[in-house]
Amino acid sequence: LTKEGLLVLSFCKSRDYISDRMFHTVTAAAGFPPVVVSDTTSPELRWQIYLTGPVMRNPDAVPADILPFAKVAPPTEPPSRLLTDDWPFVYVSPVTLDIPYLLVVGIIVALSAAATRKVLVKEASWLNGQMFFLGAAFLLLELQSIARLSLVYGSTWLTSSIVINGVLLMILGANLLVIKAEKLNYKSPWLFVLLFASLAASYFLPFRDILAWDNWWVSHLLVTVVTLLPMFAAGLIFATAFRNSTRPASALAFNLLGAVIGALVEYMSNYVGISGLVLIAAAFYFCGFLCNLRSSSSVAVANPE
């Protein structure tokens, strides 16, 4: 904003914690409290307008009598949680769980378990367990990548195209490497070292500082590659494990079921933030690593026919 700039944010208040969150978020962004006025012509809507910017540093800039609006006293309670790029959930209650959403999640999990119960019982193995956790973690990484790169490229079709094409390139690269390196084994500890190192790099990446670099192409390419790199490492593990599966159909079934669970677990971002999905994905991958350790070292290569 310029020295005479003004930002007007209108919002229909539904809960006290939402309006308090909006007030404190605007305060943190501007560096001083906004002036809040309410529309008195529609009290049932509880419409509020937040005024901020350089011209609003002086609260007396807005007169007390500004019909049909009236000034609103600032909240006295501290904010429950500010809105940030990592936690942009305006309507998430700070003290309660979303029971209706959890019921839907429970129903989906129950239906998935019922539809796959025969496969789960008859085809259960440590290798298939690893495929399950790989699928669950992969979905979380994809959702986290879309959320992060939307901050880089904007919430448009461009972000979706970059993420989708980037994921496909990572998977393609992993499969090509597995095809060329026939001796590459899914039980190699170096694959998991690469995976967890890439997860750490993605989680701790100071992408806001990098995006401030003068070279636009280098900064954006670096953030994009580091964000998507864990999918390449996970693709190597998946491809080598799938190649060594004696029953590829059941392995793929376990992987897809894991993907369903991973998509549902994305709800946890409401509480741990979007970047926290990387940590949950790391926990899934660690479970997959444990399954890898327990799987038989003498797994036969699947018949290509």
Side-chain angles (χ1 to χ4, degrees):
L1 296 176
T2 65
K3 293 182 180 180
E4 294 78 26
L6 175 67
L7 174 65
V8 180
L9 172 65
S10 58
F11 196 82
C12 187
K13 177 180 178 181
S14 57
R15 297 289 189 274
D16 289 337
Y17 75 85
I18 295 179
S19 61
D20 293 349
R21 178 174 292 158
M22 298 297 293
F23 178 88
H24 289 291
T25 298
V26 174
T27 300
F32 55 90
V35 175
V36 185
V37 297
S38 179
D39 186 357
T40 59
T41 60
S42 302
E44 66 279 0
L45 293 178
R46 309 175 72 190
W47 201 268
Q48 291 187 340
I49 300 175
Y50 301 80
L51 306 172
T52 190
V55 297
M56 289 289 108
R57 284 186 177 273
N58 180 12
D60 297 330
V62 177
D65 186 11
I66 49 173
L67 296 176
F69 300 98
K71 276 189 176 182
V72 177
T76 57
E77 296 295 327
S80 57
R81 190 167 187 177
L82 295 181
L83 299 173
T84 63
D85 291 337
D86 187 52
W87 200 84
F89 309 110
V90 178
Y91 301 99
V92 174
S93 172
V95 295
T96 61
L97 294 174
D98 191 342
I99 301 301
Y101 185 90
L102 292 178
L103 288 176
V104 173
V105 169
I107 293 173
I108 295 176
V109 171
L111 291 175
S112 300
T116 59
R117 64 185 185 279
K118 293 183 179 180
V119 176
L120 291 176
V121 174
K122 294 183 179 181
E123 304 292 338
S125 68
W126 290 113
L127 180 60
N128 285 342
Q130 178 183 355
M131 300 296 286
F132 171 86
F133 289 115
L134 288 176
F138 192 87
L139 256 290
L140 290 176
L141 288 182
E142 187 173 15
L143 292 167
Q144 185 268 344
S145 299
I146 293 175
R148 171 182 286 180
L149 294 182
S150 67
L151 302 175
V152 179
Y153 300 102
S155 298
T156 63
W157 62 268
L158 180 62
T159 297
S160 299
S161 63
I162 289 175
V163 173
I164 293 173
N165 284 285
V167 170
L168 292 178
L169 286 174
M170 291 296 174
I171 296 174
L172 178 62
N175 280 274
L176 287 176
L177 182 57
V178 170
I179 292 174
K180 296 296 182 180
E182 296 183 358
K183 294 183 179 180
L184 193 62
N185 192 290
Y186 77 103
K187 295 183 71 64
S188 172
W190 292 107
L191 294 180
F192 284 94
V193 170
L194 174 62
L195 173 60
F196 288 111
S198 62
L199 287 171
S202 176
Y203 182 76
F204 292 106
L205 179 70
F207 69 95
R208 291 181 180 84
D209 296 334
I210 295 175
L211 293 177
W213 293 357
D214 294 333
N215 194 317
W216 188 94
W217 289 102
V218 172
S219 62
H220 282 61
L221 180 62
L222 178 61
V223 171
T224 303
V225 171
V226 174
T227 300
L228 298 177
L229 187 59
M231 300 183 187
F232 173 76
L236 291 175
I237 298 174
F238 172 86
T240 52
F242 189 75
R243 183 179 63 184
N244 286 273
S245 173
T246 57
R247 298 183 65 84
S250 63
L252 185 60
F254 273 82
N255 186 256
L256 293 176
L257 179 60
V260 172
I261 301 302
L264 297 177
V265 173
E266 186 265 342
Y267 172 75
M268 291 301 297
S269 62
N270 293 342
Y271 303 97
V272 301
I274 293 174
S275 62
L277 294 179
V278 177
L279 299 179
I280 300 177
F284 278 132
Y285 280 129
F286 183 73
C287 292
F289 173 69
L290 295 179
C291 291
N292 180 285
L293 293 178
R294 296 295 301 271
S295 62
S296 173
S297 59
S298 58
V299 179
V301 177
N303 189 331
E305 298 179 356

